[in-house]
C-alpha cells in the first residue's frame, strides 16, 4: 500500500498489507471486544468519544497536514475536517443515551417496549476524499451504540487509516473496539463472509457499493451504502444572483471538486442564464490553483493520477458530443502533481458524460431551463439522488423543489453540507440508509420488541 503526495507525485511511504492470518487475528479480537463492549454503559462509552474529540482538537494541525499530504485537500479545509470530526464525536457523546433509550409503546400487553441493542462487529469500507470525516461519522454513532468497528480505508490513505485507529486507542477505547485493516478491496468479501462480522457500511463508488452489498446479501447481512452523486444546483430568476453564483463556485470547488455532494450540474432559468454564466465562469477562472499546503490555495491537486485521466476523458468526450467549453478543459502539466484546471462546460447534450456521470474534480456542467418544470426534469435526469441546492425567493417554487426533486437532501438558498444532527444519505443509485443524527445511530441496531404478558 502506497502513500503518495498528489501535489508532487512523490512516494511518501509504503505499507505492508495484512496477511490472511493477521486479518483473522483482528476479527477474533473485534469479536472478543464486542462481548464486553456491548455491556459497557452508554455514558462510559461516550466519555471515550469526548476524549477522542479532545485529541482531534489538540492535534488538529498535525492531522490536517497528514490529510493534505496524503490526498491533496487544501490545508484549511483539512483543519476544518478534523474539527468537524470532534464535533461529530461530541454530538453523539451528548445525545447517544437519548437515542438509545427504551421506548414504551401502549398495547394490549401488561407492558411493551422497544429496546435498542448493538449488532456486533461492523465493517466500514471508506473512501479517501474526506479521509477523517467519513470514518468518524460512521464510528462515533456505531461505537456509542455498543458496536465495534473494523475499518478498511481506501488504499491511498494508509497514514490517515492508522492515525484514526491510534486516536481511538489513545482516547482509551478498549482493545479491539476500533481497528484498522490494511487490506485491498479484494480481501473485503472474505471479511464480510466471516460469521463474526455482523454488518457492513460502504462509502464510495457505485461499483464498490454493488459489490459489497452483493457479498453482504449472500450472507443476509445489513448494509448502508453512501455512493456517488451528481447534485443539481438550480437558480431561478428571483434568486440573489450574486450570492448564488459565488456559492456555486464554492459548491463545485469544495474538496478540489471531489465531494459526493459537490454541486456538479448547474441548471439556470433562461431569464438569468447569461448573467449567471458570466459571474460563474469568472469565479471558476479566478480560483487559486496550487500547493494545498499554501494557506491561500483554493484548489489543490486531484488525489491520484488515475482521477486526472478519468476526468480529462469525461471532459474530452463531452466536448466531442457538443458541449461548449467556457474555461479550463485541460490538465495542468506545467507542474508536478495531479492538477486539473477549473472547467465549465455549457449545454452538454444527451450522451455527454458530464450530463449523466459523476465528475470527480473541478468540472461544472451548465444547463439552461425554460421554466421550473424543465429545471426539475433536468435535476431528476441522472441515476443519482444524493443532494440538491435550489435558489429562489418564491415560496411556491421552493415547495415544488422540496417535493419533486429526487434526492436525500434539499438545501434552499444554501450549499449542501452534512451536519451531525441531520440525516445524510441518498436515494436511487446514490445508495440507501442514512448516516448522522438519530437516523444514523439506528442503522446498526437490533430494534428489539419486548412484550410482558
Ligand atoms: P471507491 O473506488 O469506490 O473506493 C471506496 C472504498 O471502497 C475504498 O476503500 C476502496 O478500496 C473500496 N473498494 C473499491 N472497490 C471495491 C470492491 N469491489 N469491493 C470492496 N471494496 C471496494 O471510491 P473512491 O474513489 O475512493 O471515492 C469516490 C466515490 O465515493 C465517489 O463516487 C463519491 O461520490 C463517493 N462518495 C460518496 C459519499 C456519500 O456520502 N454518499 C461520500 C464520499 C464519497 P481501495 O482503495 O483499496 O480500492
Amino acid at each position: 500500500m502506497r502513500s503518495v503526495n498528489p501535489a508532487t507525485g512523490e512516494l511518501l511511504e509504503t505499507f505492508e498489507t495484512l496477511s490472511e492470518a493477521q486479518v483473522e487475528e483482528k476479527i477474533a479480537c473485534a469479536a472478543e471486544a464486542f462481548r464486553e463492549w456491548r455491556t459497557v454503559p452508554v455514558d462510559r462509552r461516550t466519555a471515550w468519544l469526548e476524549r477522542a474529540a479532545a485529541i482531534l482538537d489538540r492535534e488538529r494541525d498535525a492531522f490536517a497536514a497528514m490529510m493534505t499530504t496524503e490526498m491533496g485537500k487544501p490545508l484549511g479545509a483539512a483543519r476544518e475536517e478534523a474539527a468537524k470530526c470532534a464535533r461529530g464525536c461530541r454530538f453523539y457523546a451528548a445525545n447517544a443515551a437519548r437515542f438509545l433509550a427504551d421506548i414504551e409503546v401502549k398495547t394490549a400487553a401488561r407492558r411493551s417496549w422497544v429496546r435498542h441493542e448493538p449488532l456486533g462487529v461492523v465493517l466500514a469500507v471508506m473512501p479517501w476524499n474526506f479521509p477523517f470525516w467519513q470514518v468518524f461519522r460512521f464510528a462515533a454513532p456505531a461505537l456509542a451504540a455498543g458496536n465495534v468497528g473494523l475499518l478498511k480505508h481506501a488504499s491511498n490513505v494508509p497514514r490517515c487509516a492508522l492515525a484514526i485507529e491510534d486516536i481511538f486507542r489513545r482516547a482509551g477505547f478498549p482493545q479491539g473496539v476500533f481497528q484498522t485493516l490494511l487490506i485491498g478491496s479484494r480481501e473485503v468479501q472474505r471479511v464480510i463472509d466471516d460469521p463474526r462480522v455482523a454488518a457492513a457500511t460502504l462509502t464510495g463508488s457505485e461499483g464498490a457499493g454493488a459489490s459489497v452489498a452483493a457479498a453482504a446479501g449472500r450472507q443476509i447481512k445489513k448494509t448502508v451504502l453512501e455512493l456517488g452523486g451528481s447534485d443539481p444546483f438550480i437558480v431561478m430568476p428571483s434568486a440573489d444572483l450574486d450570492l448564488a453564483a459565488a456559492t456555486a463556485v464554492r459548491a463545485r470547488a469544495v474538496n478540489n471538486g471531489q465531494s459526493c455532494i459537490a454541486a456538479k450540474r448547474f441548471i439556470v432559468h433562461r431569464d438569468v442564464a447569461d448573467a449567471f454564466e458570466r459571474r460563474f465562469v469568472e469565479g471558476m477562472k479566478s480560483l487559486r490553483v496550487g500547493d494545498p499546503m499554501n494557506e491561500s490555495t483554493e484548489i489543490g491537486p486531484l488525489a491520484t493520477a488515475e482521477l486526472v485521466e478519468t476526468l480529462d476523458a469525461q471532459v474530452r468526450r463531452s466536448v466531442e458530443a457538443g458541449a461548449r467549453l467556457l474555461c479550463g478543459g485541460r490538465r495542468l502539466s506545467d507542474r508536478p502533481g495531479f492538477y486539473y484546471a477549473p472547467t465549465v462546460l455549457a449545454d452538454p447534450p444527451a450522451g455527454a458524460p458530464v450530463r449523466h456521470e459523476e465528475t470527480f474534480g473541478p468540472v461544472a456542467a451548465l444547463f439552461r431551463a425554460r421554466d421550473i418544470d424543465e429545471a426539475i426534469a433536468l435535476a431528476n435526469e441522472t441515476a443519482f439522488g444524493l443532494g440538491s441546492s435550489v435558489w429562489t425567493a418564491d415560496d411556491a417554487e421552493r415547495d415544488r423543489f422540496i417535493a419533486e426533486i429526487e434526492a436525500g437532501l434539499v438545501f434552499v438558498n444554501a450549499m449542501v453540507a452534512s451536519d451531525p444532527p441531520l440525516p445524510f444519505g441518498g436515494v436511487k443509485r446514490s445508495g440507501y440508509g442514512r448516516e448522522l443524527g438519530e437516523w444514523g445511530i439506528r442503522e446498526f441496531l437490533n430494534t428489539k420488541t419486548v412484550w410482558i404478558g
Side-chain angles (χ1 to χ4, degrees):
M1 222 165 253
R2 292 150 49 89
S3 181
V4 172
N5 184 344
T8 59
E10 178 202 356
L11 176 66
L12 300 169
E13 199 173 347
T14 56
F15 296 80
E16 282 294 319
T17 51
L18 298 183
S19 67
E20 224 172 286
Q22 286 170 315
V23 173
E24 157 59 35
E25 220 172 89
K26 287 190 186 267
I27 296 175
C29 177
E32 179 60 34
F34 177 61
R35 269 193 279 283
E36 193 61 36
W37 184 241
R38 63 175 304 169
T39 67
V40 171
V42 185
D43 58 340
R44 281 195 54 218
R45 295 201 289 251
T46 55
W48 282 310
L49 273 184
E50 293 275 8
R51 282 165 46 188
I55 295 172
L56 282 156
D57 279 344
R58 205 168 49 239
E59 298 172 32
R60 183 184 312 161
D61 289 348
F63 296 138
M66 179 183 291
M67 288 184 236
T68 296
T69 47
E70 206 162 45
M71 54 66 67
K73 73 173 59 207
L75 190 59
R79 254 189 236 114
E80 282 168 23
E81 182 168 335
K84 189 168 182 174
C85 293
R87 251 195 350 271
C89 289
R90 292 197 176 104
F91 171 77
Y92 282 104
N95 294 291
R98 182 165 61 84
F99 296 154
L100 298 169
D102 290 353
I103 300 172
E104 295 283 335
V105 181
K106 280 210 182 322
T107 63
R110 193 141 62 84
R111 192 186 153 210
S112 54
W113 72 95
V114 175
R115 63 182 256 128
H116 303 103
E117 293 178 356
L119 288 186
V121 179
V122 183
L123 171 69
V125 182
M126 290 290 147
W128 47 265
N129 63 340
F130 293 92
F132 270 54
W133 172 237
Q134 303 290 0
V135 178
F136 277 92
R137 84 178 181 189
F138 150 72
L143 303 191
N147 292 299
V148 309
L150 286 175
L151 168 66
K152 181 267 177 278
H153 216 326
S155 294
N156 57 326
V157 288
R159 283 184 173 176
C160 290
L162 292 171
I164 294 168
E165 179 184 57
D166 194 49
I167 290 170
F168 284 115
R169 187 187 54 72
R170 284 190 287 142
F173 283 84
Q175 198 191 355
V177 169
F178 185 93
Q179 299 175 89
T180 285
L181 305 177
L182 288 187
I183 55 172
S185 52
R186 275 202 299 274
E187 268 56 68
V188 167
Q189 176 163 349
R190 192 145 22 90
V191 179
I192 292 174
D193 283 345
D194 192 295
R196 293 165 294 185
V197 173
T201 179
L202 178 135
T203 301
S205 59
E206 290 168 83
S211 153
V212 162
R218 278 192 293 276
Q219 303 296 339
I220 329 284
K221 291 180 183 176
K222 172 79 187 271
T223 48
V224 167
L225 299 181
E226 298 284 1
L227 309 180
S230 185
D231 284 9
F233 186 107
I234 301 177
V235 185
M236 297 301 280
S238 62
D240 176 338
L241 208 61
D242 285 329
L243 183 61
T247 310
V249 173
R250 276 201 300 126
R252 181 56 286 209
V254 62
N255 211 37
N256 305 339
Q258 306 159 118
S259 169
C260 52
I261 48 166
K264 290 165 190 144
R265 295 175 301 130
F266 298 83
I267 300 165
V268 187
H269 191 284
R270 63 181 172 190
D271 291 355
V272 287
D274 287 336
F276 179 87
E277 181 179 304
R278 265 194 312 278
R279 289 169 171 81
F280 181 58
V281 172
E282 208 38 61
M284 289 291 282
K285 275 187 187 164
S286 61
L287 285 168
R288 285 185 298 272
V289 181
D291 179 356
M293 292 296 278
N294 186 332
E295 296 285 352
S296 66
T297 291
E298 291 168 300
I299 297 256
L302 301 195
T304 64
E306 297 73 49
L307 282 161
V308 178
E309 291 297 324
T310 305
L311 191 66
D312 193 45
Q314 287 173 309
V315 169
R316 275 188 289 110
R317 280 169 38 228
S318 298
V319 172
E320 280 159 26
R324 285 186 298 123
L325 181 65
L326 301 184
C327 66
R330 66 197 165 82
R331 63 187 80 194
L332 297 174
S333 32
D334 58 340
R335 61 196 87 187
F338 315 135
Y339 289 91
Y340 202 81
T343 297
V344 180
L345 290 163
D347 313 322
V354 296
R355 182 161 178 163
H356 307 288
E357 297 171 9
E358 178 178 38
T359 47
F360 228 52
V363 172
L366 196 53
F367 300 81
R368 280 167 195 245
R370 353 176 238 283
D371 53 23
I372 188 169
D373 295 319
E374 193 181 22
I376 292 171
L378 281 166
N380 290 340
E381 183 186 66
T382 71
F384 299 107
L386 191 53
S388 58
S389 174
V390 298
W391 292 74
T392 176
D394 180 306
D395 289 352
E397 283 177 359
R398 185 198 62 194
D399 294 347
R400 280 200 61 193
F401 287 131
I402 293 171
E404 294 179 38
I405 290 185
E406 298 162 1
L409 313 138
V410 181
F411 278 55
V412 182
N413 298 327
M415 173 175 152
V416 180
S418 63
D419 194 10
L422 286 169
F424 184 92
V427 294
K428 296 162 74 179
R429 291 183 75 86
S430 291
Y432 52 76
R434 290 294 178 268
E435 293 194 287
L436 297 177
E438 185 166 351
W439 301 265
I441 202 169
R442 294 234 187 282
E443 292 286 357
F444 298 113
L445 291 177
N446 172 13
T447 301
K448 187 183 261 181
T449 295
V450 187
W451 176 285
I452 309 289

